[in-house]
């Protein structure tokens, strides 16, 4: 029997509650007790936690967000933080093993703790799908569905007004959300961080469509997309960093709106989808993936594994060293983008 401390760190993601529920259900069935730390690593440093029981996690499977709250707290960057402070936060609630649910930053902390001898089983999450070590993360499919719905809605109003619509989606430095939603929604141009774009080529695609009689177009752009060097000056959120040193992205659609309109003469409007992509209920796929991750995490605790995270490989849930998820992010492969490009212009 172990006392398991669960926490959710980083940006929230549809499916977090499904993981929490599953860890609790399987953990209790295997004879463990569970505690939930509030607001990620902050809960350990501030000794802020609550018991997690089958009763207290009832009804949360379809709920977006996280009942535990989340934050981008880095325990190694806080005064009085570090491994010993985390250990003290565990001891305060008699916790033996941690199950942190998070992205690269949260898992980076988890790996460091494991290296210092703290028992840890990680659960990978991000809507961006940019974590190595797992084929997919839960939350991604929900974000893609929301973005695809947005493309569909923009299509009808674009057609009514003969406009170019630019939709900016999340994804940080990976173009998975843009490429998937763009392909699913039939976008006419898709811009991703992996392929710096030439604004003139973008405009040529749109001109070609119009030359073939189409009077509207949809451009799906990832928040991390960048122009080829020296081709375009962009504004945006540049320079603002979070606790893990990541730049805040967003705003490329503003530049694209004005540049496309100026260069082509086509009336253009932009939409930045933003955190809508992270809100609300997870899709069935993400609920299932999150549930299987949660069950597997509890099983890994029972098997006294540490320094591992659960992962999807093909259709199987496995455990892999947390280190597999760290380092460079996973990015869109060339073939996927080439398939999407078939439909440009
Ligand atoms: O990593 C998930 C993500 O939603 C990114 O797609 C986005 O760039 C970032 O988090 C936004 O972070 P925040 O919620 O701190 O604005």
């Amino acid at each position: 029997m172990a006392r398991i401390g669960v926490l959710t760190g980083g940006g929230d993601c549809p499916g977090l509650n499904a993981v929490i529920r599953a860890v609790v259900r399987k953990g209790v069935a295997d004879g463990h007790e569970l505690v939930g730390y509030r607001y990620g690593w902050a809960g350990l440093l501030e000794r802020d936690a609550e018991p997690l029981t089958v009763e207290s996690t009832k009804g949360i499977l379809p709920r977006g967000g996280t009942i535990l709250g989340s934050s981008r707290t880095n325990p190694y960057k806080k005064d009085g933080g570090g491994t010993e402070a985390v250990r003290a936060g565990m001891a305060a609630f008699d916790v033996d093993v941690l199950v942190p649910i998070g992205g690269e930053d949260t898992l980076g902390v988890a790996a460091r703790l494991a290296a210092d001898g703290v028992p840890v089983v990680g659960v990978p999450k991000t809507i961006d799908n940019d974590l190595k070590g797992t084929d997919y993360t839960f939350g991604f499919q929900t974000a893609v569905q929301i973005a695809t719905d947005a493309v569909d809605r923009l299509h009808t109003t674009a057609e009514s007004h003969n406009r170019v619509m630019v939709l900016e989606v999340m994804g940080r430095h990976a173009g998975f959300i843009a490429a998937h939603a763009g392909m699913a929604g039939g976008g006419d141009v898709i811009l991703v961080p992996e392929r710096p774009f030439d604004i003139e080529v973008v405009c040529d695609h749109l001109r070609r469509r119009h030359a073939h009689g189409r009077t509207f177009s949809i451009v799906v752009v990832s928040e991390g997309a960048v122009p080829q060097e020296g081709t375009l000056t962009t504004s945006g959120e540049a320079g603002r960093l979070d606790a893990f040193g990541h730049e805040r992205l967003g705003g490329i659609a503003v530049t694209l709106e004005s540049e496309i309109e100026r260069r082509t003469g086509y009336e253009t409007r932009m939409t930045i989808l933003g955190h809508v992509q992270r809100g609300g209920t997870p899709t069935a796929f993400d609920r299932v993936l999150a549930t299987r991750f949660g069950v597997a995490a509890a099983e890994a605790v029972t098997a006294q594994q540490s320094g591992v995270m659960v992962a999807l490989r093909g259709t199987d849930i496995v455990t892999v060293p947390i280190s597999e998820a760290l380092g460079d992010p996973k990015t869109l492969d060339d073939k996927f983008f080439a398939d999407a490009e078939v439909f440009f212009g």
Side-chain angles (χ1 to χ4, degrees), residues 152-167:
D152 289 348
R153 287 174 187 279
L154 288 172
H155 250 121
T156 60
T157 176
E159 196 167 6
S160 305
H161 292 273
N162 296 338
R163 282 173 173 161
V164 176
M165 292 291 188
V166 179
L167 175 67

Side-chain angles (χ1 to χ4, degrees), residues 154 163-168 191 197 199 202-203 206 219 221 232-235 251-272:
L154 288 172
R163 282 173 173 161
V164 176
M165 292 291 188
V166 179
L167 175 67
E168 180 179 309
L191 304 177
F197 64 88
I199 185 68
V202 172
C203 291
L206 304 178
V219 177
V221 58
L232 189 65
T233 310
T234 56
S235 53
I252 184 72
V254 177
T255 306
L256 286 171
E257 179 189 79
S258 59
E259 282 299 320
I260 289 171
E261 187 164 300
R262 186 175 71 77
R263 289 168 191 251
T264 63
Y266 306 144
E267 196 181 8
T268 306
R269 295 285 190 274
M270 63 90 196
T271 301
I272 299 177

Side-chain angles (χ1 to χ4, degrees), residues 56-138:
S56 73
T57 52
K58 276 213 156 82
I60 65 172
L61 170 64
R63 268 172 63 185
T66 159
I67 58 164
L68 295 176
S70 193
S71 72
R72 294 195 190 275
T73 306
N74 182 346
Y76 290 103
K77 289 265 171 68
K78 283 263 179 197
D79 287 345
T83 302
E84 287 319 307
V86 170
R87 276 192 207 279
M90 292 171 69
F93 298 93
D94 293 324
V95 164
D96 316 296
V97 49
L98 295 175
V99 175
I101 310 165
E104 199 209 339
D105 301 327
T106 306
L107 294 174
V109 171
R112 206 161 154 182
L113 289 168
D116 287 347
V118 176
V120 181
V121 173
V123 178
K125 74 86 239 199
T126 170
I127 64 161
D128 304 335
N129 198 42
D130 62 348
L131 275 178
K132 284 189 179 147
T134 183
D135 290 351
Y136 285 102
T137 43
F138 63 87

Side-chain angles (χ1 to χ4, degrees), residues 72 126-128 170-172 223 248-249 275 278:
R72 294 195 190 275
T126 170
I127 64 161
D128 304 335
M170 283 185 167
R172 274 205 198 279
E223 63 180 358
R248 204 161 146 184
L249 299 172
H275 293 78
R278 292 205 331 227

